[in-house]
């Protein structure tokens, strides 16, 4: 179980560096307050193991037993339903072969790099961390059942000494597979299904570079050479009925609609991201470095249980916010500038992806506020349009209309809204789509078209933005150097209900944002309740 304790020395040092001279933030045991938090005094610290009925349980505590950690019966049953659904999409007797992601090492060493499981393998097996595995899903001859077989590497004492223990053939009960065999048996298994001439479905891209690639792909084509049509050409060495390019699209069809169990994990991922955003905004002050905000965000996510960042976070001050995928994260943010942060966390294989833009000094200038409110209007209306029957393309067209109208009204482009749209004059200032699917990958299930109507359980991001670079002299001078993007994670609801905004607790309205920025510092300076940090330990 997880328990609260006072902020660790490393955190205290980090926070002290975030604060201006003479200001002290007192770490306590309550969570960081948002603009609507109570002003009551924080509760006394409860030692690890002691009961504390007043505190809010951590994400990991609330999700105990329902996390896709590879050993949860709850999640095993979820994966079994996915395997059944996949088998209903293929012909009877088909075998689906799925390898786990390879473990990579620091070049020239035996030091393993941080591991991320292949999404399709994780989706179908629930095995989150172990590599050197191959799953074989065997559809029965009558198509009514599936046999789940795992091939796992045998124990290797020398490797275990360097990299730790891993699951293997001895762990069938933990893995909850119908059959677990040594990975060394896989070549003979391939020959067996070849002899039986069973239909085989796999994704050739997943096997490229795999130690057993030559068992499932023709050795002459393991580099995925292109034919004259530009498609990958692979000789069917497993028999004439092998399909090399179908698995990805089949699994994406399943992954596109999230089950209640998946939405629950994505809520947890968004909750961790939400609290980290609110903390970063609350500790913001002029003359901070972008890296301070970036490092604080990652620390806060990881201490709540996030495994990793699903993509490099963007923390861009001033004109840097006009670079969509800004990655320097190392410049000072001066008073009067905005800071744009695009960040999320990966919580047990499910990503969150959120963006906020706020004034580092706590107050928008009039031009900043004007641009912000135009983006906010587009953000609000596009989120409301995330209902069953609409499409991502529909919502994007709405965002283009609203932001083109904004460009016309602010005099960025001296044309009517209709002319701006027809001639694509908005694109230099709004160059990206309104959003993307979200799930196990940040840009999830890329084979699902943007013209697919939303259904209950569809999860996507909504992220309108306007980018007005300092060096574009056609832009009126008061707006130059302003970059604003607002992004939230959305779950489409059924039955005509409003969409669920997973990241709704992060301030986005102008007054709420201004109240949140620097609120922890303000509390310390004004003699009110000290800013607080919530820290867990195992």
């Amino acid at each position: 179980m997880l328990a609260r304790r006072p902020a660790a020395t490393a955190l205290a040092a980090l926070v002290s560096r975030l604060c201006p001279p003479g200001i002290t933030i007192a770490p306590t045991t309550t969570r960081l307050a948002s603009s609507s938090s109570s002003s009551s005094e924080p509760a006394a610290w409860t030692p690890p193991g002691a009961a504390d009925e007043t505190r809010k349980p951590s994400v990991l505590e609330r999700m105990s037993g329902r996390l896709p950690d590879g050993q949860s019966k709850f999640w095993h049953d979820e994966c079994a339903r996915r395997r059944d659904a996949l088998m209903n999409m293929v012909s009877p007797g088909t075998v689906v072969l799925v390898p786990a992601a390879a473990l990579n090492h620091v070049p020239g060493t035996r030091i393993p790099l941080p591991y991320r499981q292949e999404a399709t393998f994780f989706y179908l097996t629930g095995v989150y961390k172990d590599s050197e595995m191959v799953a074989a899903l065997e559809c029965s001859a009558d198509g009514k059942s599936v046999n789940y077989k795992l091939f796992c590497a045998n124990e290797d004492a020398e490797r275990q000494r360097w990299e730790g223990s891993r699951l293997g053939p001895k762990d069938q009960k933990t893995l909850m597979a119908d059959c677990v065999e040594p990975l060394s048996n896989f070549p003979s298994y391939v020959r067996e299904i070849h002899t039986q001439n069973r239909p085989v479905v796999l994704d050739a891209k997943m096997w490229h570079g795999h130690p057993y690639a030559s068992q499932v792909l023709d050795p002459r084509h393991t580099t995925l050479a292109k034919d004259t049509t530009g498609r990958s050409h692979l000789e069917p060495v497993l028999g004439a009925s092998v399909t090399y390019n179908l698995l990805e699209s089949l699994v994406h069809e399943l992954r596109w609609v999230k089950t209640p169990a998946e939405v629950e994990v994505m809520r947890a991922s968004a909750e961790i991201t939400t609290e980290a955003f609110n903390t970063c905004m609350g500790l913001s002050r002029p003359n901070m470095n972008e890296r301070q905000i970036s490092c604080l965000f990652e620390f806060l996510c990881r201490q709540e249980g996030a495994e990793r960042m699903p993509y490099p976070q963007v923390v861009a001050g001033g004109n840097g916010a006009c670079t969509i995928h800004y990655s320097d994260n190392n410049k000072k943010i001066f008073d009067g500038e905005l800071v744009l942060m695009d960040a999320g966390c990966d919580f047990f294989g499910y990503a969150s992806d959120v963006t906020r833009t706020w004034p580092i000094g706590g107050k928008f200038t009039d031009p900043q506020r004007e641009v912000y409110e135009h983006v906010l209007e587009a953000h609000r209306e596009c989120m409301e349009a995330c209902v069953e029957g609409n499409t991502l393309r529909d919502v994007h067209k709405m965002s283009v209309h609203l932001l083109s109208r904004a460009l016309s009204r602010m005099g960025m482009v001296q044309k009517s809204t209709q002319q701006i749209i027809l001639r694509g004059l908005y694109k230099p200032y709004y160059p990206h789509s309104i959003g993307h699917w979200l799930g196990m990958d940040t840009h999830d299930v890329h084979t699902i078209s943007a013209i697919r109507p939303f259904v209950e359980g569809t999860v996507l991001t909504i992220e309108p933005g306007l980018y007005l670079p300092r060096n574009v002299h056609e832009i009126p001078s008061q707006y130059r150097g302003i970059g604003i993007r607002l992004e939230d994670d959305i779950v489409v609801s059924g039955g005509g209900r409003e969409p669920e905004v997973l990241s709704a607790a992060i301030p986005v309205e102008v007054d709420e944002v201004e109240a949140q920025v620097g609120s922890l510092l303000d509390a310390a300076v004004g003699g009110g309740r000290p800013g607080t940090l919530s820290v867990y330990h195992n």
Side-chain angles (χ1 to χ4, degrees), residues 11 15 42 59 91 138 175 183 209 250 404 442 487 491 512 538:
L11 176 59
V15 173
V59 173
S91 58
E138 304 172 337
L175 292 166
L183 188 58
L250 294 179
S404 295
T442 306
E487 179 181 18
V491 182
E512 293 176 349
N538 288 307

Side-chain angles (χ1 to χ4, degrees), residues 337-370:
E337 290 187 324
L338 299 175
V339 56
L340 182 156
M341 182 161 76
D342 184 339
C345 73
D346 183 320
F347 183 69
F348 285 87
Y350 286 84
S352 49
D353 180 4
V354 177
T355 305
R356 287 293 186 270
T357 309
W358 65 90
I360 195 68
K363 196 75 175 176
F364 288 98
T365 65
D366 289 342
Q368 290 170 349
R369 185 183 185 115
E370 184 181 3

Side-chain angles (χ1 to χ4, degrees), residues 264-443:
E264 184 179 25
V265 179
M266 295 193 73
R267 284 194 191 103
S269 181
E271 179 182 340
I272 292 171
T273 293
T274 293
E275 293 206 2
F277 259 91
N278 288 340
T279 301
C280 290
M281 293 172 73
L283 287 173
S284 291
R285 63 174 177 84
N287 300 318
M288 290 183 73
N289 194 289
E290 295 163 347
R291 73 167 66 92
Q292 292 176 292
I293 300 175
S294 177
C295 292
L296 178 61
F297 178 85
E298 183 167 349
F299 171 84
L300 292 167
C301 288
R302 286 180 176 272
Q303 66 107 10
E304 282 281 352
E307 292 283 325
R308 62 183 62 83
M309 304 296 100
Y311 56 92
Q313 55 261 43
V314 174
V315 181
N319 193 62
C322 298
T323 301
I324 310 301
H325 288 161
Y326 178 87
S327 60
D328 290 349
N329 294 358
N330 62 3
K331 294 180 175 60
K332 184 178 287 189
I333 312 168
F334 297 100
D335 195 15
E337 290 187 324
L338 299 175
V339 56
L340 182 156
M341 182 161 76
D342 184 339
C345 73
D346 183 320
F347 183 69
F348 285 87
Y350 286 84
S352 49
D353 180 4
V354 177
T355 305
R356 287 293 186 270
T357 309
W358 65 90
I360 195 68
K363 196 75 175 176
F364 288 98
T365 65
D366 289 342
Q368 290 170 349
R369 185 183 185 115
E370 184 181 3
V371 178
Y372 187 95
E373 287 180 336
H374 281 299
V375 176
L376 180 60
E377 179 187 18
H379 178 257
R380 188 185 300 117
E381 294 198 23
C382 288
M383 287 198 301
E384 292 174 356
C386 293
V387 296
E388 290 180 299
N390 284 344
T391 70
L392 195 54
R393 180 173 293 179
D394 293 335
V395 181
H396 180 68
K397 288 180 178 179
M398 177 185 293
S399 71
V400 167
H401 172 78
L402 292 168
L403 294 175
S404 295
R405 186 177 68 184
L407 291 171
S408 179
R409 289 179 174 178
M410 290 187 292
M412 307 283 180
V413 183
Q414 300 291 332
K415 300 289 182 182
S416 67
T417 300
Q418 184 179 19
Q419 283 297 311
I420 293 174
I421 295 172
L422 290 176
R423 297 170 61 179
L425 301 177
Y426 63 88
K427 291 181 180 179
Y429 312 104
Y430 177 43
H432 56 75
S433 174
I434 185 60
H436 52 81
W437 313 127
L438 185 68
M440 289 183 167
D441 294 316
T442 306
H443 285 242

Side-chain angles (χ1 to χ4, degrees), residues 254-272:
L254 299 175
R255 284 172 53 190
W256 183 59
V257 180
K258 306 300 186 288
T259 65
E262 290 182 288
V263 172
E264 184 179 25
V265 179
M266 295 193 73
R267 284 194 191 103
S269 181
E271 179 182 340
I272 292 171

Side-chain angles (χ1 to χ4, degrees), residues 9 17 58 74 81 100 110 133 192 248 252 278 296 302 311 336 345 352 362 377 444 470 493 505:
T9 302
R17 294 194 62 177
S58 73
F74 173 86
R81 288 188 288 270
R110 299 181 64 175
M133 289 186 178
E192 178 185 342
E248 181 179 61
H252 281 191
N278 288 340
L296 178 61
R302 286 180 176 272
Y311 56 92
C345 73
S352 49
E377 179 187 18
D444 209 39
R470 188 174 292 149
S493 303

